[in-house]
RNA sequence: GCCGGGGUGGCGGAAUGGCAGACGCAGCCGGCUUAAACCCGGCGGCCGCAAGGCAUGUGGGUUCGAAUCCCGCCCCCGGCACCA
């Protein structure tokens, strides 16, 4: 059979065969070492786009490589299927969210199979299945028992477009991460997960190989800073509490010339004088109306209003005015600061604008502290204007001031984090119902575990009221109290979908377990994930939440080890052919289905991997597809066309090409360098082609070359290699065949080319036997007419020899 | 402003201290073909007749030797940003 390469015929054939044979099913009782490869599961938006292919096809290649290397590979796939688009489809077009979602899943599952990815479909997880979200609810109850899930009133981020609150992580530049609406602040009672309990541990990335980019982003998001809480007195009649401030510079406390509270600070109401009240009220109202965007657009102009009240510095008894200003955030620290204009830029700007005093409390070699300051400065030498602390060197200042504060009972050293608890309540229908019941008598009562899942009701009205559609389903909301059966009401909020994706990797290990989220044996067998791949857009949401979730589960004794994913690789962003982000409005979208129907899935996979380094992303090059198609055709022809064999033909050159390809390709795929890997595979097919055209080939060397080429190409182009493997008379399946090993003896060259430089410029090239040593190379160099001509009898000062590569004559 | 990534032919990119431009696209020349496509072979940084010189954003430095290491600057992409 010498017919031509027809991707469509062979791709559908093998796709069906693999599914039928469950070729990629991971077996729990396989004794070989396990490898858990995971790529982020998609939201079932309805269509698999090129971004999905770009994320998943290389992940698949890496998983296939591990399988061929002899690992028992778990490579599962599922759908993150709760979320707003389904509900928006319901509102806009009157379609049931469930029908919409499951139709999309059906379609996308087929598209994923077209890709030829070796997913274990027996383990598919769909987060909107009651079988799955039963366990999301179970996890919620466990977190509740541990005190890690709690309900609190707080200023929440309200997205007017999505009609729901958002976690801080989902607010980007004051806008909703999903809908881009400007986020409002609302005071609401909501459910939170206490991720801050793990703030310190989440800063530690020991034992995991994650990109620095992601570690830095998480570290910045958590935002640890060391400092102190200091208590100032409040000099207002009838107010008998102190004013706590967080500061990273307690050593500047003698320079605190005023205090600033966030406009929303609880104390403002009680300390404001009658005279100042109108101005304060006005400012607070203004601030509350301002969106985050407007706050940013004020160009850091330091606005604020005096409350009329004074605080007392506990260190020196000095009275300082208390202001309110929106540059102090109620959500950070204590929502109040001691302002030290001499040593803080923002305080300096505020003091200058409002005519407040500036008192330096450190001296500095470059600053005349007797004169009015031009700007705030840090990095002082010793303390000044600081009573008993005068003369204290900067290095000891913080510690001494904190010790003093502790001794006198008005402060202590502390660590503050920017990270806020994770707000998980959503006022939406299409999510996991929070399994709680509100009873007038017993308060908030968990749904008993035996009653899980709390299933979503059907036939719900979708009017965007700002209230969850669930509130209107009376027969669902009204339930007996689990304690005594009296009438009570269900919690109508559903969970943030990031909750569903925080533990999905655990469910894959035992996806059909009706008794538990997964068995201990399965967890011990498969967890944690060895290699996780996905987009960097999840750096501070999914990837932080899932680490928190894992650590909480570990502390409950449910999983073992400190981290859920040992290695993480983030692919870059694939751009349109014009170098811009793919978008419908730009008209630069590359549709995978179209590419597949033109070139086949193998070619599309390879082209995506060939365009550049995977972690860097970059523009998709549609014309470059030609090169991939030519290469696959050549591989096809080399395997199926008749070859003229002869015994006794020198096999060294062909074998060298084969073993060099094995060595290079292995090294590349090991490091996710698919672009250079494919280059090496192309070189190998070219070498095979030349060998065949040059005359009869050595039978064994040829067979070795074909076998290696097919196995090395199998991870990136699974269909064509399977077909050719069969046509080459090999045993099904190439994807279970062992990865070829390079023999270092065979990769060695017979001859080497040594470059001769004079003062670093190439002047000649010497071809020498591979065995040539330094002495031999130098001898050949001096024997070169070209070189001796250029030297004109001059004596080299030095000759540098790089073994097997280069000689550099220094004159 | 801070943090991270990046800047190399017409294009995507390769080379992480040792021959800059692997591999591929596009282009050009040639072969095959009645012809075209496919396929095959070859040529492709700039200046120069040549010898040679100049070339990896830019200016310095280290080195026998720098795309690669160090310092300054410019530009692009991503993230964070009044965090006390």
């Amino acid at each position: 059979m010498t017919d031509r390469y027809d991707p469509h015929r062979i791709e559908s054939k093998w796709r069906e065969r693999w599914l039928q044979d469950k070729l990629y099913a991971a077996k729990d009782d396989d004794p070989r070492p396990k490898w858990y490869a995971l790529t982020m599961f998609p939201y079932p938006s309805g269509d698999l786009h090129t971004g999905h292919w770009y994320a998943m096809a290389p992940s698949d290649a890496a998983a296939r490589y591990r399988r061929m290397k002899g690992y028992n590979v778990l490579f599962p796939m599922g759908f993150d299927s709760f979320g707003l688009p389904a509900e928006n489809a319901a509102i806009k077009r009157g379609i049931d969210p469930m029908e919409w979602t499951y139709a999309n899943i059906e379609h996308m599952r087929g598209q994923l199979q077209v890709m030829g990815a070796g997913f274990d479909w027996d383990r598919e997880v769909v987060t909107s299945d009651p079988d799955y979200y039963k366990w999301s609810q179970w996890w919620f109850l466990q977190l509740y028992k541990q005190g890690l899930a709690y309900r609190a009133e707080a200023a929440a981020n309200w997205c007017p477009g999505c009609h729901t609150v958002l976690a801080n992580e989902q607010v980007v530049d004051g806008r909703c991460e999903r809908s881009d609406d400007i986020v409002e602040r609302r005071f609401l009672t909501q459910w939170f997960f206490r991720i801050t309990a793990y703030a310190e541990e989440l800063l530690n990335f020991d034992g995991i190989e994650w990109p620095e980019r992601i570690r830095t982003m998480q570290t910045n998001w958590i935002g640890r800073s060391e400092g102190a809480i200091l208590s100032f007195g409040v000099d207002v009649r009838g107010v008998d509490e102190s004013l706590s401030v967080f500061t990273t510079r307690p050593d500047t406390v003698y320079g605190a010339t005023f205090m600033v509270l966030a406009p929303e600070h609880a104390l403002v109401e009680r300390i404001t004088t009658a005279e100042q009240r109108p101005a304060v009220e006005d400012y607070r109202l203004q601030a509350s109306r301002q969106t985050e965007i407007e706050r940013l657009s004020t160009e850091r102009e330091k606005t604020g209003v005096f409350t009329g009240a004074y605080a007392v510095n506990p260190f020196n008894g000095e009275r300082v005015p208390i202001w309110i200003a929106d540059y102090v955030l109620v959500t950070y620290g204590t929502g109040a600061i001691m302002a030290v204009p001499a040593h803080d830029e923002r305080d300096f700007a505020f003091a200058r604008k409002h005519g407040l005093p500036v008192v330096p409390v450190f001296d500095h070699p470059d600053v005349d502290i007797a004169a009015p300051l031009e700007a705030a400065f840090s990095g002082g030498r010793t303390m000044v204007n600081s009573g008993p602390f005068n003369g204290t060197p900067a290095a000891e200042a913080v510690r001494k001031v904190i010790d003093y504060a502790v001794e006198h009972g008005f402060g202590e050293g502390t660590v503050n984090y920017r990270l806020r608890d994770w707000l998980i309540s959503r006022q939406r229908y299409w999510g996991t119902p929070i399994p709680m019941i509100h009873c007038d008598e017993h308060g908030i009562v968990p749904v008993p575990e035996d009653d899980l899942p709390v299933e979503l009701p059907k036939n719900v009205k979708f009017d965007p009221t700002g209230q969850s559609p669930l509130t209107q389903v009376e027969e669902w909301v009204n339930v007996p109290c689990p304690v005594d059966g009296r009438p009570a009401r269900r919690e109508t909020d559903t969970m943030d979908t990031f909750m569903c994706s925080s533990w999905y990797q655990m469910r894959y290990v035992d996806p059909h377990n009706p008794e538990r989220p997964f068995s201990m044996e399965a967890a011990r067998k498969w967890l944690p994930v060895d290699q996780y791949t996905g987009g960097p857009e999840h750096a501070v949401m999914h990837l932080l939440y899932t680490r928190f979730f894992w650590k909480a589960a570990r502390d409950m004794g449910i999983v073992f080890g400190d981290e859920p994913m040992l290695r993480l690789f983030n692919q870059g962003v694939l751009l349109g052919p014009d170098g811009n982000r793919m978008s419908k409005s730009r008209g630069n979208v590359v549709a995978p289905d179209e590419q597949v129907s033109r070139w086949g899935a193998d070619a599309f996979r390879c082209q995506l991997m060939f365009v550049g380094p995977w972690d860097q992303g970059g523009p998709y090059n549609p014309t470059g597809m030609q090169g991939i198609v030519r290469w696959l055709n050549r591989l096809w022809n080399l395997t199926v066309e008749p070859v003229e064999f002869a015994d006794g033909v020198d096999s060294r050159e062909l074998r060298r090409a084969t073993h060099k390809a094995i060595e290079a390709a292995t090294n590349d795929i090991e490091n996710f360098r698919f672009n250079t890997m494919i280059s090496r595979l192309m070189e190998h097919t070219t070498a095979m082609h030349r060998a065949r055209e040059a005359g009869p080939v050595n039978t064994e060397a040829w067979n070795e070359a074909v076998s290696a080429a097919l196995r090395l190409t199998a991870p990136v182009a699974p269909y064509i290699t399977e077909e050719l493997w069969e046509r080459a008379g090999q045993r099904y399946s190439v994807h279970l065949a062992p990865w070829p090993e390079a023999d270092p003896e065979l990769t060695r060259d017979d001859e080497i080319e040594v470059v001769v430089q004079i003062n670093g410029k190439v002047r000649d090239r010497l071809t020498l036997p591979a065995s040539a040593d330094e002495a031999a190379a130098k001898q050949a160099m001096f024997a070169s007419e070209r070189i001796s001509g250029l030297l004109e009898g001059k004596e080299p000062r030095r000759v540098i020899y790089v073994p097997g590569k280069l000689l550099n004559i220094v004159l």
Side-chain angles (χ1 to χ4, degrees), chain A residues 483-549:
Chain A
V483 179
D484 62 2
R486 77 170 66 209
R489 293 173 66 80
R490 281 196 193 284
E491 171 64 56
T492 55
D493 285 350
T494 52
M495 298 181 208
D496 182 4
T497 55
F498 278 113
M499 160 75 192
C500 310
S501 55
S502 289
W503 72 280
Y504 77 117
Q505 85 277 16
M506 303 181 196
R507 184 64 176 174
Y508 280 134
V509 307
D510 190 10
H512 310 298
N513 193 325
E515 308 295 331
R516 302 175 46 81
F518 49 84
S519 73
M520 283 293 184
E521 303 94 271
R524 283 187 189 279
K525 165 90 191 174
W526 293 110
L527 295 173
V529 171
D530 293 286
Q531 179 69 60
Y532 198 29
T533 50
E537 68 274 17
H538 291 299
V540 289
M541 291 190 273
H542 166 59
L543 289 173
L544 193 60
Y545 295 149
T546 195
R547 291 180 68 218
F548 153 68
F549 208 92

Side-chain angles (χ1 to χ4, degrees), chain A residues 210-250:
Chain A
W210 280 29
E212 185 186 302
R213 180 168 49 150
I214 304 296
R215 298 200 313 258
T216 307
M217 281 166 80
Q218 293 204 351
T219 302
N220 291 343
W221 188 259
I222 295 164
R224 181 185 200 273
S225 52
E226 283 181 26
I229 298 260
L230 300 177
S231 294
F232 280 63
V234 176
D235 188 15
V236 174
R237 226 182 316 151
V239 175
D240 189 26
E241 63 193 272
S242 59
L243 172 55
S244 285
V245 298
F246 172 73
T247 175
T248 55
R249 292 294 306 278

Side-chain angles (χ1 to χ4, degrees), chain A residues 14-33:
Chain A
W14 289 112
R15 181 155 60 241
E16 277 164 38
R17 173 87 186 266
W18 294 333
L19 278 172
Q20 208 171 31
D21 296 348
K22 299 190 186 302
L23 188 67
Y24 307 116
K27 294 185 189 66
D28 289 328
D29 57 2
D30 191 317
R32 294 174 301 165

